[in-house]
Amino acid sequence: MSMFQGAARGDQHLPSGVVVASFETYDQAQAAIAKVSGAEGELSGLAIVGNDLKLVERITGRLTWGKVALAGAMRGLGFGAFIGLVYMLLVPEAIGSVLLFPLLGLAFGILLGVVTHSMTRRKRDYASVQQVLAARYDVVAPQQSAGKAMHIIGQRGAAAPVADEQPAAQQQPVAERPPSPPVA
């Protein structure tokens, strides 16, 4: 079963249920799911929801003509070697011409890298890596299994309904908290 299977069916809505725990990192949220799994808890319907998404672009350095040509050469060499191997499998008697494909890939890679860089040079002369990060990761469970999941994870006071859930009048409390004594 693929983790992208729901999206392929058109399942484009946020999971409904109760937030049973919130974490600062995705690894912590995964560890909470693993804890529920290890305790033989119900996993069906659990979800990790990233909130407050940010796009972070980290600059790795300046792009020079040499770096662009070298990167293009490596991509072209890899692609040419792949095409050469496929050609060798399809035409085994043409072993001599198989060496030609990596060299052609190398040349075209350099040419393509340099031409592409020359077109975007004034706008973007740096290399970077982009990632999408969330400020908080919530573990969401269906109403029926939320209490047990909260108990296993150990964050009883962290429950809050998800925005797409039923109105509060139709919800049933998951975990009862004793009333707090009045402050004198």
Side-chain angles (χ1 to χ4, degrees):
M1 186 172 217
S2 170
M3 61 189 229
F4 299 110
Q5 191 172 14
R9 289 191 315 252
D11 192 13
Q12 299 291 322
H13 66 278
L14 289 173
S16 61
V18 175
V19 174
V20 296
S22 289
F23 301 96
E24 290 183 12
T25 67
Y26 183 75
D27 290 338
Q28 291 170 332
Q30 277 187 318
I33 299 292
K35 193 173 181 181
V36 173
S37 177
E40 300 296 322
E42 180 64 35
L43 292 178
S44 178
L46 287 180
I48 298 174
V49 179
N51 293 298
D52 303 326
L53 298 179
K54 307 275 189 225
L55 174 67
V56 178
E57 183 172 9
R58 299 181 197 277
I59 310 305
T60 58
R62 183 173 305 282
L63 281 179
T64 63
W65 290 106
K67 287 180 183 178
V68 168
L70 182 63
M74 291 297 110
R75 280 193 302 270
L77 185 65
F79 184 70
F82 173 72
I83 297 298
L85 287 174
V86 170
Y87 189 71
M88 186 174 72
L89 290 173
L90 296 175
V91 186
E93 59 272 356
I95 273 195
S97 63
V98 169
L99 297 176
L100 181 66
F101 286 107
L103 295 175
L104 285 173
L106 180 87
F108 280 116
I110 291 172
L111 181 65
L112 187 62
V114 168
V115 168
T116 303
H117 180 62
S118 69
M119 291 193 300
T120 61
R121 183 172 169 220
R122 300 202 187 248
K123 294 180 191 172
R124 187 177 176 94
D125 62 345
Y126 59 89
S128 64
V129 177
Q130 290 184 352
Q131 63 186 141
V132 176
L133 298 174
R136 185 181 82 247
Y137 296 90
D138 293 335
V139 176
V140 178
Q143 188 74 30
Q144 306 86 318
S145 61
K148 185 173 182 182
M150 275 189 240
H151 177 72
I152 293 170
I153 294 172
Q155 291 195 1
R156 291 179 193 255
V162 174
D164 282 358
E165 204 175 271
Q166 305 166 346
Q170 296 176 359
Q171 296 177 8
Q172 299 191 8
V174 176
E176 296 291 328
R177 287 192 218 168
S180 57
V183 178

